Amino acid sequence: MSRYNARVAEAKWQKAWDDKGIFQTENSSDKPKYYVLEMFPYPSGRIHIGHVRNYTMGDVLARYKRATGHNVLHPMGWDAFGMPAENAAMEKKVHPAEWTYANIDAMRAQLKMIGLSIDWSREFATCDATYYRHQQAIFLELVKAGIAYRRSAQVNWDPVDQTVLANEQVIDGRGWRSGALVEKRELTQWFLKITDYAQDLLAGLESLERWPDKVRLMQTNWIGRSTGVHFTFQLSVPDGHGAQGVSPGTLDVYTTRADTLFGASFCAVSADHPLAQAIAEKMPDAKAFVDKCRQMGTSEAALETAEKLGFDTGIFADHPFVAGHKLPVYIANFVLMEYGTGAIFGCPGHDQRDLDFARKYGLPVTPVVLPDGETADGFEIGDEAFDGDGRMINSEFLDGMTIPEAKKAMADRIEKAGFGHQTTNFRLRDWGVSRQRYWGCPIPIIHCPSCGAVPVPDKDLPVTLPDDVSFDRPGNPLERHSTWKDVSCPQCGGDATRETDTLDTFVDSSWYFIRFCDPASATPADAAASTYWLPVDQYIGGVEHAILHLLYARFITRALKDLGHVAVAEPFAGLFTQGMVCHETYKDKNGDWVPAEDVIHDGGRPVQRDTGEEVTVGPVEKMSKSKKNTIDPEHIIDQYGADTVRWFVLSDTPPERDIEWTAAGIEGAWRFTQRLWRTVDDANGHIASEEAAKGTSDEGRAAALRKAAHKAIADVTGDIEGFRFNRAVARLYELTSTVQSFNGQNPQGAAELAALKEAAETLVQLAAPMMPHLAEEAWSALGHDRLLADTDWPVADPDLVKDDVIKMAVQVNGKRRAEIEVAPDLGKDKVEEIALGDEAIKRALGEKSPRKVIVVPNRIVNIVA
RNA sequence: GCCCCUGUGGCGGAAUUGGUAGACGCGACAGACUCAAAAUCUGUUGUCCGCAAGGACGUGCCUGUUCGAGUCAGGCCAGGGGCACCA
């Protein structure tokens, strides 16, 4: 009996695939095309288990599709721009490009160890000038089309480090390095008009049938289409008010609950609203409040969880339908300038946030919707606003209406009176793409004092990043790089400066899948290649990208379609979102994190490998560097081989769910690797035995084995198609056990040996997408010269997949009392007869007689007595 | 705070989508092989009552719909993901 040597076999078969170039793909074929893509990695330096899981899933699918006669595109590249490279530059004094390309080399080598069926000839990194050259061209086309534009927007500003901070770099309102209080600062920045596509992006979701419902729902909510009313309040400024003369006299609001207008008790405007700005200029305490709002984070979560604060401006808004009813106008920290008009009216009775605000500032609370079943007399709002269904009260001409009726009636009345109109509003905001950083795609614009923002002429593209930069000072090195920055204007020839902002890395990842179709194309997208390959048939990646990356990619693809670059509007026909990889966390007696790879189990106690000191086991969390609970796949592959690691990440846990990495789990996968090899090896011994060939077969046993093999083909095929890899794994465990026990029963004769050969080959073929190296080795051992990677997928014989007899449970009043065996698709009457004749059922029924018998064919019988 | 997801034995999970809850694996226990250990093989393994036959309970919690609910509806609880400059 031979033992499987993963190290030798894996190197051997990787070379065999490579030498024949079988994973290199042509841009045309008689076969149907299939484009499988996993979200490309950020080159952080090391592959982590999450990558292995992601790429293994894609590889299973790619290999399966190849075997089922598809022309498969399965490429790999690098999402290579971003902040970590600049952080490394600051901390380790290494150039971002050098750091990034070294990481790519290291990670490419690691990925190749996994044995992925990737067409490496199409590889590129987004930081390659050959890639971002085309991104710059696309950007200029977007400028020309009016999709890219400039406007002022706020950023997080660290006054000590003199730099813009990402939201994740703001911790409790302070800069992560300097600890200084973060300010908001206005900068002129580039935006992409994704809002022009809001309705389109929303409608397109309906066609994405092979996307998870939850992702479509999240995007729907993110786009946030609502219908409501936009209308104008008349403002009155009391005599002697500090803001005398600055008020524009009116205030525009947007509401989705026009029906509750009679319950309004205040108005509120954002601190960034022009009215708030105007008042702040005249009133010092208003300015103090606005400044305070400015110190809050820019993230929505920070705004929503912050204490709701307001500043009473002393100005009033006149209620449009109640003469003399004046609503105080507040500046409030929870009103977003970005949404609607940046101003609202508050109806505390029916909105929890408004209610909290009203209670805090002593404003009246008038219920205007009466819950069904309540009486108007004495109905009051307590601590909870009522946002359910009901009928209007206290609302004059709306009284007695349902909420939808009242919304319509109020909108009609406002339109007729001429101070407002019904409108559709989106929560989606335009996409700010300017980043004040070096390590990104330069924005190909030249700012000229006389010509304005001038596009860099196409012949001058790409605008490449200068290499000679230093990170010893804070801020963007491009801004102080005069030989790069100072240029002459392409239009007038006068002195001008380059745009020093670079593009958001989400732009890089919004069209890379198009570039893979033909990475050498002289245009951003080769028409023939992209028409052939797009859309991506199956995209696979983390659910954390469910909104931003996927929405931006859908948007850019639509824009490129409108610009004539691609033929499709939707880039990803199928989407699968995988779960994360988690691991236990460990701390030492000082409460410091202990690296998971340094922890061993000594007699059940977790201890540090070197010191033997006991560690405390913390919760199972997503693998992260900060918690030191990462496992380096390279170490595991060295120890067990790639197939074992691939098998583990596919086993047990459904792909969409989080998986926990455990030492026991990888051990179990390793034992199975050896068991599978042994099973095929043993089978081979029987098949080759001249002695066994002379014996006489038990036809029944041979037939049963064939049946098991063909059922496995049907099951595993369905499981791979349906992304149920964990179940495919379970089916392969079963088939292995079946073949193994057949081996143990001394098979002989033509029929048994033929069945055994078929079953062993089937087992190897079905395992191949998951354990490609071992499968090739076993396939070769079974006497095949042709590569398994080039062999067709087995086909199940429908006659062998069918059951001969079906076990049906029989229930009495919903409780299982017996099991009967019947022929498949036996008539209901017959089944009922057999069920009622069963001894256990007679006993269970006792004195009672059946009142009703429900027979679900091939499933269950329920007797109601 | 808002949006989305998840919750089943000691553990990972399965359940043909409303029809026998616990497939398959891990762990544990018992046995075989071995001088011994490892490896391997065989068997048992949701909980409770019972010698057994058998019975009761059981899918985070509560309520409901149904002949029948892990699955559907309503209300909670707990954990996770996203929230627009992390990728």
Side-chain angles (χ1 to χ4, degrees), chain A residues 212-232:
Chain A
D213 287 341
K214 64 169 178 179
V215 175
R216 291 199 278 176
L217 189 56
M218 278 192 268
Q219 291 213 353
T220 300
N221 291 335
W222 185 261
I223 294 167
R225 184 190 150 109
S226 66
T227 49
V229 180
H230 180 132
F231 69 93
T232 307

Side-chain angles (χ1 to χ4, degrees), chain A residues 108-356:
Chain A
R108 184 192 305 107
Q110 289 187 309
L111 280 182
K112 288 195 171 182
M113 291 173 70
I114 305 171
L116 304 172
S117 61
I118 281 171
D119 180 356
W120 285 100
S121 72
R122 294 174 188 252
E123 176 192 357
F124 63 81
T126 56
C127 62
D128 295 343
T130 50
Y131 178 76
Y132 70 69
R133 184 230 181 276
H134 297 287
Q135 187 162 307
Q136 291 173 338
I138 291 169
F139 180 82
L140 292 178
E141 287 189 53
L142 293 175
V143 172
K144 206 170 166 188
I147 295 171
Y149 67 98
R150 293 218 306 162
R151 71 166 161 88
S152 173
Q154 294 178 341
V155 294
N156 299 309
W157 179 255
D158 186 320
V160 171
D161 278 352
Q162 294 283 301
T163 187
V164 175
L165 298 176
N167 283 335
E168 73 155 16
Q169 297 172 319
V170 180
I171 294 153
D172 297 329
R174 290 173 185 276
W176 67 340
R177 283 182 212 280
S178 70
L181 273 178
V182 171
E183 299 165 2
K184 284 187 193 168
R185 181 173 272 215
E186 295 270 341
L187 293 179
T188 304
Q189 305 188 69
W190 288 96
F191 280 80
L192 300 185
K193 241 185 218 169
I194 190 171
T195 51
D196 274 3
Y197 288 81
Q199 181 57 42
D200 226 25
L201 289 166
L202 182 65
L205 290 171
E206 282 177 33
S207 69
L208 299 175
E209 285 163 18
R210 292 200 296 114
W211 277 43
D213 287 341
K214 64 169 178 179
V215 175
R216 291 199 278 176
L217 189 56
M218 278 192 268
Q219 291 213 353
T220 300
N221 291 335
W222 185 261
I223 294 167
R225 184 190 150 109
S226 66
T227 49
V229 180
H230 180 132
F231 69 93
T232 307
F233 280 107
Q234 294 298 320
L235 297 181
S236 50
V237 183
D239 290 344
H241 187 277
Q244 202 81 43
V246 304
S247 153
T250 60
L251 180 66
D252 282 10
V253 298
Y254 171 77
T255 181
T256 58
R257 289 297 304 268
D259 56 305
T260 64
L261 185 52
F262 285 101
S265 61
F266 66 95
C267 285
V269 302
S270 163
D272 302 316
H273 193 278
L275 179 63
Q277 308 273 301
I279 293 168
E281 269 182 38
K282 298 275 178 174
M283 300 171 68
D285 36 349
K287 183 170 191 315
F289 182 80
V290 167
D291 287 346
K292 195 173 167 189
C293 292
R294 280 275 164 93
Q295 282 186 359
M296 294 199 312
T298 52
S299 78
E300 193 182 320
L303 293 175
E304 291 285 334
T305 50
E307 191 190 358
K308 306 292 175 283
L309 296 174
F311 175 83
D312 187 350
T313 62
I315 293 175
F316 293 96
D318 297 334
H319 194 287
F321 294 109
V322 186
H325 184 18
K326 289 184 174 296
L327 308 173
V329 176
Y330 283 78
I331 301 169
N333 65 351
F334 62 86
V335 181
L336 298 169
M337 191 59 219
E338 313 265 2
Y339 185 76
T341 62
I344 59 158
F345 76 79
C347 175
H350 307 284
D351 181 284
Q352 191 60 42
R353 200 172 50 183
D354 292 350
L355 181 64
D356 295 342

Side-chain angles (χ1 to χ4, degrees), chain A residues 86 161-164 436 470-471 473-480:
Chain A
E86 290 193 26
D161 278 352
Q162 294 283 301
T163 187
V164 175
Q436 296 69 39
S470 71
F471 291 87
R473 274 188 291 160
N476 181 356
L478 293 178
E479 278 183 23
R480 47 178 193 265

Side-chain angles (χ1 to χ4, degrees), chain A residues 227-232 252-255 258 341 410-416 418-424:
Chain A
T227 49
V229 180
H230 180 132
F231 69 93
T232 307
D252 282 10
V253 298
Y254 171 77
T255 181
T341 62
M410 179 57 92
D412 288 347
R413 183 70 79 101
I414 288 172
E415 282 187 353
K416 205 175 281 177
F419 64 92
H421 57 277
Q422 286 196 72
T423 181
T424 303

Side-chain angles (χ1 to χ4, degrees), chain A residues 17 22 363 422 483 570 646 704 738 757-758 761 842 853:
Chain A
W17 298 326
I22 60 170
L363 297 162
Q422 286 196 72
T483 57
E570 289 293 343
R646 294 170 62 117
T738 304
K757 185 166 164 59
E758 183 186 25
E761 291 190 343
K842 283 183 184 164
V853 180

